[in-house]
Amino acid sequence: MDGIPQRNAPVDGAADERLVDEGWTVAGRRFRSRLVVGTGRYKDLPETQRAIEASGAEMVTVAVRRVNLSDASQPMLQDFVPPDRYTYLPNTAGCFTAQDAVRTLRLAREAGGWNLVKLEVLGPPPFLYPDMAATFEAAAALIADGFEVMVYCADDPVAAKRLEEMGCVAIMPLGAPIGSGLGVANPFMIRAIIAQAKVPVLVDAGIGTASDAALAMELGCDAVLLNSAIAHAGDPVRMARAMKAAVEAGRDAFLAGRMPRSAAADPSSPTGGLIRRDTV
């Protein structure tokens, strides 16, 4: 991964400023937490509420096609994850065509007035890899319609830059296939996307445990988005706390600047003045 310039790298002489993370901004909205979490796949809404509170997240993704947002006769997400406390990020989970994705987000805007959205258009099973041709098509239509688009995409620097130049407000390359828990499969490409981006970059999908989230942040990501890693954990609330700590630690490690890698040992204790057998 060496050789790729770092965006937002620490600046010499800014030691005091490094101690405080002032958060990140997307489409003019500022967030202290760099962890974005989903609201699906939990056993029930009370567990959803407890896990999200433990995560410290301020932004939550909402699958418009799968979450009850309007039927007051059934349990509603808003009663457990209040939209006056959290920023809702409607997404197009489960959409396999550009037309379905655009239609879904237009309905979301009509229902809740949401303009900041997450676009994802998936390819076929079993990998559900981003369909980039359909993603470009849907992004163009949504941007023309006045949406602020955070876009899920392949870990491809060329595609990511094109989406940014089209007007997407955040780039969200996958770490690994959705729900796989494989972590960040290609750190080099994530670093390459970050290095050239002028909008926030979030690793989205594939995070399986706290060390995966920490690595994404150590690469220089502005934030991490995850869902299954918390919801499918044996103890979702504890895992949510672990993810919160991991994202914070990873960000601190990135700002601190890691030591250089070396193929040879470099002892931390001085070697001069050792008592040698032949001098006794």
Side-chain angles (χ1 to χ4, degrees), residues 5 34 63 67 86 91 150 155 159 181 185 188 196 207 239 248-249 252 261 269:
R34 293 181 181 270
V67 175
Y86 299 96
N91 69 30
M150 300 175 66
D155 54 346
F188 181 88
Q196 66 180 1
I207 299 297
M239 183 59 80
E248 292 172 353
D252 275 345
R261 290 180 171 87
S269 299

Side-chain angles (χ1 to χ4, degrees), residues 57-94:
E58 299 166 295
M59 178 190 290
V60 297
T61 61
V62 178
V64 178
R65 294 157 60 96
R66 299 174 180 170
V67 175
N68 177 30
L69 296 171
S70 58
D71 184 358
S73 67
Q74 300 295 324
M76 297 181 67
L77 178 67
Q78 297 96 312
D79 295 333
F80 295 86
V81 184
D84 60 348
R85 177 177 175 185
Y86 299 96
T87 295
Y88 275 30
L89 183 67
N91 69 30
T92 56

